[in-house]
Each structure stands twice: as structure tokens, then as C-alpha cells.
Amino acid sequence: MNSFFGRLLAPFRNTTGLARWILVTGLIITGTFVIAAIFAPILAPYGFAQMSVAGVDFPKTSPPGPGHLFGTNNQFYDILSRVIWGAQTAISVVLLSVVLSALIGVPLGLLSGYVGRWTDRILVFIMDALYAFPSLLLAIVFAFLLQHSIGSGVISAALSLTVIYIPQYFRVVRNTTVSAREATYVEAARALGAKNGTIMGRYLFSNVIQSVPVIATLNAADAISTLAALGFLGLGIQPTDASEWGYDLSRALQDASAGIWWTGFFPGMAIVGLVMGLTLVGEGLNETINPTLRKRRFRKVTLPPRTPGREEVGS
Amino acid sequence: MPTKPDDILAIRDLEVHFEQSGSSLSRLLGRPSGTVKAVDGINITLQRGEVLGLVGESGSGKTTLGRAILGLVPATSGTITYTPPAGEGVDIATLKGATLRSMRQRLQMVFQDPSAALNPSMTLETAIGHPLVIHKVASGEELRQRVIASLERVGLSPAEQFLSKYPSDLSGGQKQRAVMARAIIVGPELVVADEPVSMLDMSVRAKVLQLMLDLKRDLGLTYVYVTHDLATAKFFCDRVAIMYLGKIVEIGPSDEIFADPKHPYTKSLLKAIPDPDPSKAIPRDLPRGEIPDAARPPKGCSFHPRCPMARNDCGWEPRDLKSLVEEHWTTTDLATFEREHELVGHLVELNTSAGEVVVEPHRGKGSPDDVWAMFSAIKDARPDEPLWRGVTSMEKTPAGVKFVFAPSSPVNLRASGASEVACVLYPSAP
Amino acid sequence: MSAEPIVRARDIRIWYGTTRGPVKAVDGVSFSVGKAEILGLVGESGSGKSTLGRGLLGLLPDGAAMDGELTFEGVDLLAATPKQRFAYRGTHLGMIFQEPLTRLNPLMRISEHFSETLKTHEPSISKAEIERRSLEVLRVMGIPPSRFSSYPHEFSGGMRQRLMIALALVLRPAFVVADEPTTALDVLVEAQIIKILHDLRNSFDTSLLLITHNLGIIAEACDRVAVMYAGQIVEIGAVDKVFADPQHPYTRELLRSTISLSTTALHSIPGAPPDLVDPPTGCAFHPRCPDALAICAVTRPIAYARDGGAPRSGSTDVACWVASAKSGTVTLTPAEAAPLPREELADADEA
């Protein structure tokens, strides 16, 4: 097991310079948001839909100050609390959608790549059709459809994002499977008498999922902005269900002309921050995991002076 | 066909064809552009405990034949009858699904590239024990003990040190030993070894071959040894089959094949092996050219275009004439080439296997007399070319120059001494 | 062989930096190649033979360090600027690689490959001149001129390797490095290519460094041979002399373990080549050497010229204490000459 973690960490240890810097910066930014999300009940001074404390109402659109560090908005909510609770919403929606789309996309890609023929053609056709749609449009359609069947909570937002990202996992896994299928160890597995299921599960799976972490993090970054866009359009999570940055941003729209900058600035910065953090992690991982980008790096070496008086062969 | 009790494998009239997709246009239209007969009518009987060498160059079909024996590539026609020590023979060529998979406990394979044959993300313990898991033979502590025993058997000892290693931690020779350990753990009877030492360093080859000999002796294995290397085949095999373009051209006991090679192809192969003894001069009379396109094999004997001993009835055809002209152009000066190339163009009319053909002046440039002069000059310059033996007539016609080729004689395997040869020089005994 | 060598290498070192420390891929190698001479460089994988070949042409990856003395027709190549070295490559120094298909652009006709190669070094060359010079080289390689405007995929494997050789030779370099040029080819085609390489000096007056792991190819194509082990040349000399009577135990054992048509018993060298980050002290071969003496584990052997005199070009030179002691060039103390107790080597330690 020790060596398993060793192998897991190996790409990280192998990185140097910019790639490692990108990865570490991304991890710090993303980590901050994850901590905020997990400890939101402790960290947030108030609830996300709280308008008063001990019977005293919050002021409406009060600027940042000692009582409310980020100020309050026109719905009497405390913005700092909204931002922290919003991190929880964003992370849970994105985590759920990324896990779900990987759970569906990876096995389908594996199956399509390994079995080939008609299965492959049909699946590729469906996935390409899904991929051809603008992702936001697709998310809007699904969010709209799901609103009627299972409401508009975290789950339905996650599901509508899932649909967008399945094709990406499918494509990457399918393409790596198609090339890995020809590898000798796969033929060796057939020569051992392994069933197709065993070959896919034990021989191909572990060798084709290596690029999945990279897509997952990059998709997560994309999902944050898509979720915010849904919220901005009012198709996301309702403000009373959970706090959502995109919704807050849309509410802050009319404030901007009135010089009330804080209602839009803080949720906006939260979106930018988390998207940037996840993108950096994704790019950093890509640099370290992706063998095509990772060229063999040699350290600088200086030749020591020769030991004098040594005779050489040849010359 | 009945088999003797000590025959482990009987291959009868085996053919394996592959559809070849050609240009991107025909691929787009889903139209196969040719059939490659990778294995083209093979008959072999393999005795228990024997080492049979399948020797040939790339494209000879030796690897495909080895894979067909295990049912890894489907046979197009013919039978592959495997007879267990006790019981009825089964035709592997017709088996499918679970029954075919269960046969893999009896028939195993060792691959050329040991680095690619092991799953890079499996430890040796999992990889070597996996056949036992697949066939539900052992589990838990018994599985571990059998993996350890198998590792020790192939010389990877102390085995405990290797159990948790990944293939990337091993050297080439060690990986090939691990592949052997995985092959023998289910207790197979027949092992197909596809170039097992060709990717290894010289100093390691001998060790791996010795291990294979030891395993054969201790476990009573039968080997099919697929290789392009005649030197290891000579040392390792009891019997050798020389393959060329999907067919066996010569088969017989190793001693006989190496002491008295009969087929011109076998002779050339033996002559071409670089020998580390510098006193042996570099061979000058090697066959020219390369293995032809398997989708369009030569007429008659496939080896005839390269054969230094070819006769008139070896299957000469217009394509061979084109090769001769192209070879002639490598010896002429640039001006002659340009003039002649202008005259006859790319000789596309010679891309055929027809019995006769007319070479016309290309796009009306020049006259039939010019073409006649050109071919006469080539013939005069190279009167000893075997091709001319197969040209029964070359005559001037109003359109151009007409060539008629001699018909080919059949080249099936015929007994000659202790071996069998497929060559017109060795006709069947009267 | 003329007195003045074309290429002269003295004490070449090529090290790679890794996380574990520098890999001494080539560590103190000296040799020379005479005019129109074929020097074979033989060794097992990891012996540093390919690194040396690339190093001679300045084709090392970033992060590799090289020093020593390398002169080509008297010009110091290691002191040259990268631009000067680039100008030398092709016109004076050529390279033939192992995998011909990966070195040819599939979208370019053969004629375009030649015209690009020629134009890079002679920008003002005319079209007719390109064709004349290309076809002349192709003819020597046995490629029909009618196929000059074909694409690489229309050629067979052996033809492609002939094309690569022709491309390397069209600029008429005086020195060519061929790195395993026949490894991917079939036996009969391999023999054809060896013959072409062997005849290069007659047709092009070219000196050749032929890198291979196949002792048979060395015997058939080369005049002299250098045997490499663990980044060093352990024995160098005329092929017939070295192969008939090898002085270094590694050369002897390597010849014995080669399987040829005359092999009647299997033989192998125990153990594995060393880790070049931390090679053994003294002679790098001593842990595997059946003849090792006490001094072999401590001091790196002094080269001794087998046919007398100082080590010089053309002579057989051996770096081995046992061989030196036998020839009387060095006198070892009894303590130094004591047989080295050998550790038991298991099969599992092999290469």
C-alpha cells in the first residue's frame, strides 16, 4: 500500500519549477474554499437566509463594516455568510456532478472503446450530439426539465451539470481505451483466459483513467461558472434552499448603478477565485500527469574535474 | 483426420484471412480493399514434448499461426485439433466463449516484448496469480503460495522480494521470467513462445532459453517457438517449419534443415545470418528485394521474384518484369533513365498477373520500335536474369512489345529426405 | 588507413543529471576513426553506446553534460558554437537512425525530403542539381529513380532505411554515425543493408561509426571494433584480432554468450550491468568477471596496447589488469594479483 501512495505522489515529486508552482497555488486557493465549505456552520457568522439576530433586523444594503464585514444586501442578508455558505453549495453541487459524470462517462467510454463496432458507433454518435450543444444551453434545458420533476435544489442543479460533462469523460476514456486495447498486456490477458469484463476492469481501467483527474478538475472549474450562470438566470437553486453566488450576483445587478459595489463584488470574487483555483490545479496536474506534455527532464549536471594521471584506453 | 495418441496438436488446412482496409475513401465507404491471407493452408502435427520452430521474416504469418493455435485470432477455415493426455480431441478453431477460455489452462503464450506483456499497474503477485483467479483454481493463502512457487520456479527468488514489485521495477530478463511464471502457473501443456528472447540483451538470451529448456524438462511442456532468428531455432527446436507469405516452404527435423537446407529461401536465410566469426566473408549473392505485399502475393511460388535458382515454371508474371526494369534504371545513367521513363512511363500495365501483356509507348511518345529496343537492351545487358527463363516469347506487335509468360507448376509440400519442401526443384518422388 | 584520423575523441565524458545523481552514461572514452574506416561500437543496452553516438554529433538532450576532446579533421567540435555545429551536421557529419519511418515526414515526397536537406545547407542550389545529386545517391542505394516522387509509405521497410541512408549521404559527409540501422529489419534485408554500409567507403569515401548490439554485424561490416561496457571502452582493435583472440574477459564472455549457428551449448554472463549512477569502483566489470583480481575492485585498469608500444590508433588496446599482467606491461604485487573472492549471483539479479 505504501508503494501505491508512493506511485500516486510520484508525478508530484517529479514536477519542478512552474508546474509545481501552479499546482501548489491552485491547491491553496481551492483548499481555502473547501475548508470554508466544510466548516461553513462554524465560520459563517449567520445563516444564509438569516435576516435578523435576536429579533433585531439587519440593515438593508449596509456597506462593509464591523457588524457585517462584507456588508448586507437588499434582501437584508449578511454577504459574508452568503459567500461562505455559497462555497458549500458550489462545492457540493460540483463534486456531485463531477463524480456522477465520471461514474457514467468512464464505464461508457471503456465499453465503447473496448467493444468497438456498433456499440461504439452509437455511443460516439450520442455523445457527439450532446457535445455539440452549447453547454449552458443544455444545462438550462435540463435545469428547466428537472425543476418540474425533482424541484430546484442542489441535486437537480448537480444533475443538469452532469449531463454536460459526461461526453468529455467518455471521449477521453474511449480514445485511450482504443489505443490501450491493442497493447500486448491486453492480448496477454485474453491468452490467460480472462473474460471481457475482467479485461476491462482489471487491465484497461487502471491504465486509461490516468487522465481523468485532470479532466475532473478542469470540468469542476467550468461547472462553477455554469452553475453561477444558471443561478444568474434564476434557473438554479432557490435562495431559501441554499446560498448561491450566481443568484446573489443577479440580485446585485441593479445595485451597481446606485454605487453599491459590495453586493456584487464579493460573490463575484468568490466565483473568480474558485474557478481560478480549480483551473490551476487542473493545469498543474496536466503538466505532471500527462505524459505527452511531460518531457523527460534532466537535472543540470556539472562534470567534476578529472583525476589527474589516469591513462585511457584507445586514443 | 485421425491423430496418434502422442499427438498434442494437429493443424489441418488452416487459413487465417484479414480484411485490409485501403485508402481513406474506401474506409469511409466501409469497403474492404483486399484480403490478406496471413496463414494460407497450413498442415502441422505437433507431438507431445516436442519443440517446433516457426521461422520466418515479418509478414510470413508465423505470429498469426501461433496466435491461431491459442484461438486468439479466429481461423477462417481448417481445423486445429488439440488432444489432451486422456480424452477426446477438440477443435480449437470452432470453440467460442467460455469453452475457449477454459482451454487457456492447457495452452499458454509467452510474448516478444516482456515490458508490454505485463499490466503496468499490477504488482507481480496479482499479475502472476491472476490466471488462477480467472480459472477459479486457487484463492487466498493457496494462491499466494502458488505464486511464490511459480516465481521461485522461474528463478525470481527470493520470491517475497518480488511479490509487491511492479513491472517497471524489473529488468527485461526479469520481466520475461515473470511472464513465464504467469504462463506456467495454471499448469499448461503447450506454450506458444512468440520471439521470447529477441528483445533481450545477448548475455540474457541464453539464460532465458535455458530456463525454457528447464521448464520443458521439469513440467513436460511442448513448445511452439515463433522466431525470425534461425540461430536460436537451431539450438532450441526439434523440428523447424520455415514460413514465407503464409505458407510453409520447408519443414523437417532441425538437424536435417540446418545440415541440408533444400528450399532456396531456407538457404538464403542461413546465408544471411550475420556470423560473429570474421573469417567468414560477407555474403554477396543474397536474394534482392523484400517480402512482397501479402494482399497481392506473387503467382506460383511466392519466393520466385527473389529466388536466385528460379526456373521457367516458378510463376513468372508481368509484375516481375516491372521490378526488373526498375532495377535496370538504378544502374543506367540519368539521361538513359529519363529517356526510357519518358518512353514507357510508370509501366502501370505491368501491375497484373496475366499470362501475357503488351507494353506500349506511354501516351504516344515514341514508337513500338523504341520499346522493343529498350527491352532488347535490358535483355542483352542481363541475359542471366531468371525472369527471362519464364518469358516464353517477346515479340513486336503494331501496338508495342508483347510478352508471354510460362505457366507455373504447383508448389505443394513434398517429401524430400527427412523433410518436406515446397519447391519445383524437388518434385514428388515417382 | 591513413595516418591522420577523421574523428579523434579523447577522454569523452557524457553525464545525465537525474534526481538520484549524475548518470555516467559515457565516462572517459577515447578512440579515433580513420579515413574510409568502419568502426563498430558494440555493447549491451545501457552501455552508453547510443549516447556516445549522439554526443559525437551534438544531438544530446538538454541537461546532458559532455566534455573531453573531440576533433573532426582537426577542428575542435566541442569548442564550436551550436550554429557552427549545426552547419557541420549534414555536410560533414551524418546520422542514420534505427526507425526509418518515424524520421520521414509522411506528407512529403521523397524528392521534397532531398530538396529540403540540400537547400538547408546549400540555399542557392538549383532544382536540376538537386535531382542530379539525389538520384545519384538513390542509385547507389538501389532505389529506382522512377520512384523519386513517391511518398514514404509507398516504400517497404528496407527501402525506407535505404532512403534514410541516402538522405544522410546526399550531402557527402565524411563521417556518419549509424545507430542500430538494421534492428527493425528482416534477416535478408538486414544483410542487404549491411552490405550497403560495408560498401559506403568505396562509393562515398565515408567513415562510419556503426553502433549495434549484434556481434555478427560487427564481424561482417567493420574494420575495427570498440567494445563498450558501463560507459567505457574495454577493448578496441581490429575485428578479426579482437574476435579471434579477445583479451578483455567481457569481450570473451560476450562472444561466448552470443547464440550463432555454431552454438552447441548455452553460455551467459552472471549478474547484470551496473547502475551507472553508482558504478563499481576499479574495473566496472569486476563483480561479474570470472578472472577478477584483488586490484580490479580497487583501481581502474590502465590501457595496454596489445601489439606493443603506447596506445595509438590502429592498435588493439585493452583495459584489463589481468590482460596487462599477462602481457607483462604491468607487474602486480602478490596482494594485487590475488584472485578476487566472488559473491554468489542469483538468476534474479540478471539484466
Side-chain angles (χ1 to χ4, degrees):
Chain A
M1 229 43 218
N2 205 352
S3 86
F4 176 77
F5 282 112
R7 291 166 76 84
L8 208 67
L9 282 174
F12 179 73
R13 279 204 308 269
N14 289 343
T15 50
T16 42
L18 191 65
R20 179 177 278 187
W21 189 85
I22 288 175
L23 190 60
V24 169
T25 316
L27 282 173
I28 290 172
I29 298 175
T30 314
T32 315
F33 279 95
V34 171
I35 289 168
I38 295 171
F39 300 105
I42 305 164
L43 290 175
Y46 309 105
F48 57 85
Q50 195 174 351
M51 287 184 259
S52 59
V53 64
V56 183
D57 284 356
F58 293 153
K60 188 183 178 186
T61 55
S62 83
H68 301 280
L69 279 176
F70 286 6
T72 58
N73 67 9
N74 60 6
Q75 287 174 299
F76 305 95
Y77 296 147
D78 174 63
I79 293 177
L80 176 62
S81 307
R82 291 285 298 178
V83 167
I84 293 175
W85 284 105
Q88 191 179 52
T89 314
I91 300 254
S92 47
V93 168
V94 164
L95 201 66
L96 202 61
S97 74
V98 162
V99 167
L100 276 177
S101 43
L103 276 180
I104 300 169
V106 172
L108 282 182
L110 204 57
L111 188 78
S112 188
Y114 181 70
V115 177
R117 291 191 299 262
W118 283 108
T119 322
D120 187 42
R121 288 193 190 183
I122 292 167
L123 279 169
V124 166
F125 178 78
I126 296 173
M127 293 296 169
D128 280 355
L130 276 180
Y131 200 74
F133 275 101
S135 57
L136 184 61
L137 193 67
L138 203 65
I140 290 170
V141 171
F142 273 88
F144 190 72
L145 291 173
L146 289 168
Q147 229 166 25
H148 293 282
S149 50
I150 55 171
S152 53
V154 169
I155 306 274
S156 75
L159 284 179
S160 35
L161 291 179
T162 301
V163 180
I164 314 171
Y165 297 113
I166 289 175
Q168 297 197 12
Y169 294 90
F170 172 83
R171 285 175 135 197
V172 169
V173 172
R174 178 199 169 261
N175 291 346
T176 27
T177 308
V178 166
S179 52
R181 184 180 60 180
E182 304 300 325
T184 311
Y185 63 85
V186 173
E187 199 192 9
R190 289 212 294 138
L192 296 176
K195 287 182 206 153
N196 287 333
T198 317
I199 293 173
M200 281 191 267
R202 296 299 305 276
Y203 287 84
L204 285 172
F205 179 72
S206 51
N207 292 302
V208 298
I209 53 153
Q210 281 161 12
S211 42
V212 166
V214 176
I215 325 168
T217 30
L218 292 176
N219 277 351
D222 195 52
I224 297 286
S225 39
T226 313
L227 176 71
L230 281 179
F232 189 85
L233 296 170
L235 287 161
I237 298 154
Q238 292 308 302
T240 44
D241 289 345
S243 163
E244 208 276 307
W245 298 330
Y247 172 82
D248 288 359
L249 212 54
S250 76
R251 298 287 305 183
L253 211 53
Q254 60 261 52
D255 298 342
S257 50
I260 304 167
W261 55 271
W262 58 90
T263 51
F265 178 77
F266 292 109
M269 281 313 288
I271 295 170
V272 170
L274 187 50
V275 168
M276 189 171 78
L278 284 167
T279 309
L280 289 177
V281 174
E283 292 298 339
L285 279 179
N286 203 15
E287 284 279 317
T288 54
I289 293 177
N290 194 338
T292 52
L293 284 178
R294 188 179 65 206
K295 51 172 201 231
R296 217 170 133 200
R297 289 188 181 90
F298 290 113
R299 301 240 164 139
K300 260 258 159 314
V301 57
T302 24
L303 291 162
R306 292 159 196 282
T307 22
R310 199 180 61 200
E311 284 290 325
E312 286 308 321
V313 75
S315 83
Chain B
M1 189 169 287
T3 52
K4 291 196 284 286
D6 53 349
D7 288 346
I8 184 169
L9 202 70
I11 300 170
R12 292 285 166 265
D13 303 320
L14 183 69
E15 299 208 357
V16 180
H17 298 180
F18 294 120
E19 293 295 325
Q20 197 185 42
S21 50
S23 65
S24 35
L25 181 68
S26 60
R27 260 202 304 262
L28 210 61
L29 299 169
R31 200 168 58 192
S33 66
T35 307
V36 174
K37 294 180 178 173
V39 173
D40 190 12
I42 295 281
N43 288 285
I44 298 177
T45 309
L46 195 58
Q47 290 191 331
R48 218 168 282 282
E50 180 182 40
V51 182
L52 173 75
L54 297 179
V55 182
E57 298 178 272
S58 57
S60 64
K62 58 184 193 303
T63 302
T64 309
L65 177 57
R67 278 161 168 67
I69 291 174
L70 267 74
L72 286 172
V73 289
T76 309
S77 68
T79 58
I80 306 165
T81 313
Y82 160 73
T83 316
E88 283 295 292
V90 273
D91 182 7
I92 295 167
T94 57
L95 292 185
K96 278 193 172 62
T99 31
L100 178 61
R101 283 201 303 273
S102 71
M103 285 306 295
R104 306 275 160 75
Q105 294 182 66
R106 321 300 309 151
L107 315 171
Q108 268 298 329
M109 181 142 185
V110 175
F111 297 86
Q112 176 175 16
D113 183 358
S115 314
L118 293 164
N119 183 350
S121 50
M122 258 191 194
T123 62
L124 282 197
E125 180 175 4
T126 326
I128 292 169
H130 206 213
L132 295 177
V133 177
I134 289 169
H135 297 291
K136 301 192 176 66
V137 179
S139 60
E141 187 52 31
E142 194 202 340
L143 175 69
R144 191 182 160 83
Q145 287 311 320
R146 285 187 67 171
V147 170
I148 290 174
S150 195
L151 278 170
E152 301 268 357
R153 187 66 210 77
V154 298
L156 292 176
S157 61
E160 285 76 7
Q161 207 182 303
F162 287 93
L163 286 175
S164 59
K165 290 213 163 136
Y166 285 89
S168 53
D169 304 329
L170 304 181
S171 68
Q174 287 173 332
K175 276 181 228 171
Q176 199 57 292
R177 282 173 193 269
V179 173
M180 290 294 301
R182 183 177 64 179
I184 59 163
I185 199 165
V186 278
E189 273 193 275
L190 175 77
V191 175
V192 175
D194 183 7
E195 307 250 17
V197 296
S198 69
M199 305 271 281
L200 304 177
D201 265 325
M202 280 299 168
S203 68
V204 185
R205 282 185 192 180
K207 280 185 239 188
V208 172
L209 281 181
Q210 189 59 55
L211 170 71
M212 289 182 67
L213 287 175
D214 294 347
L215 291 175
K216 169 179 159 5
R217 189 192 58 220
D218 297 352
L219 307 172
L221 297 175
T222 305
Y223 284 128
V224 173
Y225 180 72
V226 179
T227 187
H228 70 276
D229 179 12
L230 276 165
T232 55
K234 183 186 179 193
F235 180 81
F236 194 66
C237 303
D238 303 318
R239 217 149 50 96
V240 172
I242 311 282
M243 291 184 70
Y244 192 78
L245 272 193
K247 289 195 168 86
I248 293 178
V249 296
E250 184 165 1
I251 181 167
S254 291
D255 303 342
E256 175 93 6
I257 297 263
F258 287 94
D260 181 21
K262 296 192 174 66
H263 199 283
Y265 178 60
T266 316
K267 288 182 184 170
S268 323
L269 278 181
L270 280 169
K271 215 182 286 175
I273 301 177
D275 196 288
D277 183 355
S279 62
K280 290 178 186 161
I282 180 162
R284 293 278 152 179
D285 52 343
L286 286 169
R288 57 177 151 217
E290 288 175 58
I291 294 192
D293 181 5
R296 293 182 63 225
K299 206 163 124 184
C301 170
S302 299
F303 188 59
H304 83 260
R306 309 170 71 190
C307 184
M309 300 158 85
R311 299 196 316 198
N312 62 333
D313 57 345
C314 286
W316 294 101
E317 53 184 323
R319 280 191 279 167
D320 303 321
L321 185 61
K322 183 179 175 183
S323 307
L324 181 71
V325 175
E326 288 190 327
E327 203 182 304
H328 152 76
W329 282 338
T330 65
T331 57
T332 57
D333 57 87
L334 199 55
T336 314
F337 157 68
E338 275 171 353
R339 183 168 42 80
E340 295 184 350
H341 193 225
E342 182 102 326
L343 177 65
V344 294
H346 280 280
L347 290 167
V348 279
E349 64 267 44
L350 291 181
N351 290 337
T352 160
S353 299
E356 51 178 75
V357 71
V358 179
V359 180
E360 294 172 20
H362 184 55
R363 290 201 206 117
K365 284 177 185 146
S367 67
D369 289 319
D370 296 333
V371 181
W372 172 261
M374 171 186 156
F375 278 101
S376 303
I378 295 176
K379 192 172 175 179
D380 291 344
R382 305 161 156 253
D384 297 329
E385 279 295 335
L387 169 89
W388 300 119
R389 296 171 207 157
V391 177
T392 48
S393 83
M394 172 173 135
E395 61 185 78
K396 206 171 358 170
T397 66
V401 179
K402 182 176 161 190
F403 294 87
V404 181
F405 293 86
S408 61
S409 300
V411 277
N412 50 324
L413 276 171
R414 291 170 284 233
S416 171
S419 37
E420 289 176 75
V421 196
C423 177
V424 292
L425 297 172
Y426 298 88
S428 44
Chain C
M1 193 189 319
S2 76
E4 197 48 46
I6 288 276
V7 171
R8 198 182 169 84
R10 237 190 109 69
D11 212 3
I12 297 285
R13 294 192 296 181
I14 304 172
W15 291 15
Y16 295 113
T18 67
T19 44
R20 296 190 304 127
V23 173
K24 297 157 188 154
V26 176
D27 198 23
V29 160
S30 304
F31 64 90
S32 56
V33 185
K35 196 160 170 56
E37 184 189 40
I38 305 181
L39 174 67
L41 188 59
V42 73
E44 295 178 275
S45 49
S47 62
K49 56 185 191 305
S50 284
T51 301
L52 178 58
R54 284 180 158 69
L56 294 181
L57 296 193
L59 294 171
L60 293 172
D62 295 339
M66 176 172 177
D67 76 349
E69 253 178 73
L70 179 64
T71 55
F72 171 78
E73 289 180 329
V75 180
D76 186 349
L77 282 182
L78 290 186
T81 63
K83 206 174 164 186
Q84 286 168 323
R85 294 186 90 177
F86 176 78
Y88 255 84
R89 257 198 322 265
T91 49
H92 297 81
L93 311 167
M95 178 109 193
I96 299 165
F97 294 96
Q98 180 179 342
E99 294 284 347
L101 191 54
T102 57
R103 304 278 166 180
L104 293 166
N105 182 347
L107 297 176
M108 269 166 69
R109 293 173 190 276
I110 298 310
S111 51
E112 292 170 279
H113 279 97
F114 277 98
S115 98
E116 192 186 270
T117 306
L118 283 164
K119 276 184 176 159
T120 309
H121 292 279
E122 295 167 47
S124 57
I125 191 167
S126 73
K127 206 162 172 264
E129 180 69 4
I130 290 175
E131 189 171 322
R132 191 190 62 78
R133 285 174 60 177
S134 312
L135 289 182
E136 196 181 325
V137 189
L138 286 175
R139 199 177 68 181
V140 178
M141 295 302 136
I143 296 172
S146 52
R147 311 204 39 196
F148 188 45
S149 48
S150 305
Y151 287 96
H153 70 90
E154 297 173 69
F155 290 87
S156 59
M159 283 290 188
R160 285 187 203 124
Q161 191 56 285
R162 288 166 195 245
L163 282 173
M164 284 310 299
I165 299 175
L167 271 172
L169 291 172
V170 71
L171 292 162
R172 303 285 174 138
F175 177 66
V176 172
V177 174
D179 189 2
E180 303 265 9
T182 62
T183 303
L185 303 174
D186 284 318
V187 191
L188 292 179
V189 181
E190 178 179 80
Q192 294 166 357
I193 300 289
I194 292 173
K195 185 169 167 271
I196 287 179
L197 292 175
H198 186 252
D199 293 345
L200 278 189
R201 56 170 130 214
N202 304 328
S203 35
F204 291 92
D205 207 16
T206 302
S207 308
L208 184 68
L209 180 75
L210 179 59
I211 302 171
T212 178
H213 64 273
N214 188 332
L215 291 165
I217 292 178
I218 298 278
E220 302 215 322
C222 302
D223 307 311
R224 287 198 305 142
V225 60
V227 182
M228 257 188 114
Y229 183 78
Q232 293 163 31
I233 291 180
V234 295
E235 182 162 2
I236 181 169
V239 172
D240 43 2
K241 222 174 207 171
V242 171
F243 280 25
D245 184 17
Q247 294 300 298
H248 199 284
Y250 176 66
T251 317
R252 189 188 68 215
E253 296 293 305
L254 192 64
L255 279 163
R256 277 183 72 194
S257 56
T258 300
I259 302 167
S260 76
L261 284 175
S262 41
T263 300
T264 49
L266 291 175
H267 179 82
S268 53
I269 309 175
D275 179 5
L276 293 181
V277 172
D278 183 25
T281 52
C283 170
F285 188 58
H286 86 261
R288 305 170 72 189
C289 181
D291 305 346
L293 308 178
I295 188 175
C296 301
V298 187
T299 318
R300 191 164 159 173
I302 299 169
Y304 106 86
R306 181 184 178 180
D307 29 15
R312 63 190 153 74
S313 169
S315 72
T316 302
D317 301 327
V318 189
C320 173
W321 287 117
V322 180
S324 303
K326 212 166 28 176
S327 72
T329 34
V330 292
T331 317
L332 300 175
T333 64
E336 286 173 336
L340 185 73
R342 290 179 76 196
E343 294 161 45
E344 203 50 47
L345 291 161
D347 281 345
D349 299 326
E350 76 185 14

